[in-house]
Amino acid sequence: MTSLTCLKCQSSFSAYLDGDVSGQQMHKIASHLESCSDCKREFAAWRTTQHILSSVGPAKAPANLALRLRLAISHEHSKRKSSWIDTVSLKWDNTARPMLLQVSAGFAGTIALVGSIALLLGLFAAPEPVMANDEPLGAMTSPHYLYSSVNPHAILTDHDGVIVVEASVNSEGKVYDYHIVSGPESPAVQSQVVDQLLTSVFQPASVFGAPVRGRVVLTFSGISVRG
């Protein structure tokens, strides 16, 4: 049966291996190990386990860890600064705009009919002056590229071609997310694309004159690195 002394000694093995015990405690544990074969075997197992764990070493970070962190931080920063205007913009993209496109054909026909009637009435009544300098209240704009803090350059790939990227731009004109629509998607290509996107500044999209999030399609030239 394991004695109380053995249990106390074995509970200190971890600290003993790490050197996290006093000189007096270290002497007591060492003396006990010399006289107790059970604790000696247990301590040998602890030491073997520690040696195996130390030989494994730290896990290697993924090659695209920095890329993923930069996108995650930028994405989270953009989400925190979202406003009701962003919601209106997204609702417009997902619901109002498709509905207006479907109705546009019928609406255009109605306008043509009303215009014909107005033309006939105009033959018998003099037209009144019309002011046409009002701006539409629902005007919306898409993001536009302004400049980059580094010189834009071609993307190095396995073969020549064009890389098409759809980027999401926040209300401050910074890219917070993207995906490659067409072209190679290797980690090396993604890293180069992100480097250029994060250093690019855009004029953000707008709704009612206020900046909102939007999407823009960009193209990059791909140059083969093969001889």
Side-chain angles (χ1 to χ4, degrees):
M1 180 180 293
T2 303
S3 66
L4 183 61
T5 302
C6 290
L7 291 176
K8 185 176 180 180
C9 179
Q10 292 175 13
S11 66
S12 303
F13 281 169
S14 179
Y16 181 72
L17 287 169
D18 294 336
D20 191 22
V21 294
S22 65
Q24 184 179 6
Q25 289 177 306
M26 186 174 295
H27 179 71
K28 287 182 179 180
I29 295 173
S31 298
H32 182 78
L33 290 176
E34 291 180 356
S35 60
C36 181
S37 58
D38 291 339
C39 288
K40 192 172 185 178
R41 284 193 300 270
E42 183 70 16
F43 179 72
W46 273 78
R47 187 161 51 187
T48 300
T49 302
Q50 185 191 53
H51 177 71
I52 293 173
L53 291 176
S54 62
S55 64
V56 172
K60 185 178 180 181
N64 62 343
L65 178 61
L67 161 66
R68 291 161 58 185
L69 286 176
R70 282 185 291 176
L71 283 178
I73 293 172
S74 180
H75 199 175
E76 183 64 24
H77 179 72
S78 176
K79 286 173 60 179
R80 290 182 180 182
K81 290 200 171 187
S82 62
S83 64
W84 69 271
I85 299 181
D86 295 333
T87 303
V88 171
S89 175
L90 293 177
K91 292 288 187 182
W92 175 273
D93 287 338
N94 296 331
T95 58
R97 181 176 292 178
M99 290 175 60
L100 289 179
L101 290 176
Q102 294 176 3
V103 174
S104 61
F107 184 71
T110 303
I111 291 296
L113 177 60
V114 173
S116 300
I117 296 174
L119 178 61
L120 291 176
L121 293 177
L123 296 176
F124 304 96
E128 297 182 358
V130 177
M131 301 298 293
N133 56 356
D134 294 334
E135 295 183 0
L137 296 178
M140 299 181 61
T141 63
S142 300
H144 295 283
Y145 173 81
L146 295 178
Y147 63 89
S148 176
S149 58
V150 298
N151 292 328
H153 54 82
I155 304 296
L156 301 181
T157 63
D158 292 336
H159 53 81
D160 295 341
V162 175
I163 302 171
V164 181
V165 175
E166 182 184 50
S168 298
V169 180
N170 62 20
S171 58
E172 297 178 350
K174 301 293 184 64
V175 174
Y176 67 89
D177 198 4
Y178 83 101
H179 78 273
I180 296 178
V181 179
S182 176
E185 300 184 29
S186 66
V189 170
Q190 292 184 24
S191 179
Q192 295 177 77
V193 169
V194 168
D195 286 340
Q196 297 205 40
L197 290 178
L198 292 181
T199 56
S200 298
V201 178
F202 294 80
Q203 179 180 335
S206 65
V207 177
F208 303 110
V212 296
R213 290 183 294 174
R215 298 183 182 89
V216 62
V217 176
L218 307 170
T219 59
F220 297 90
S221 297
I223 297 181
S224 174
V225 295
R226 296 178 179 177

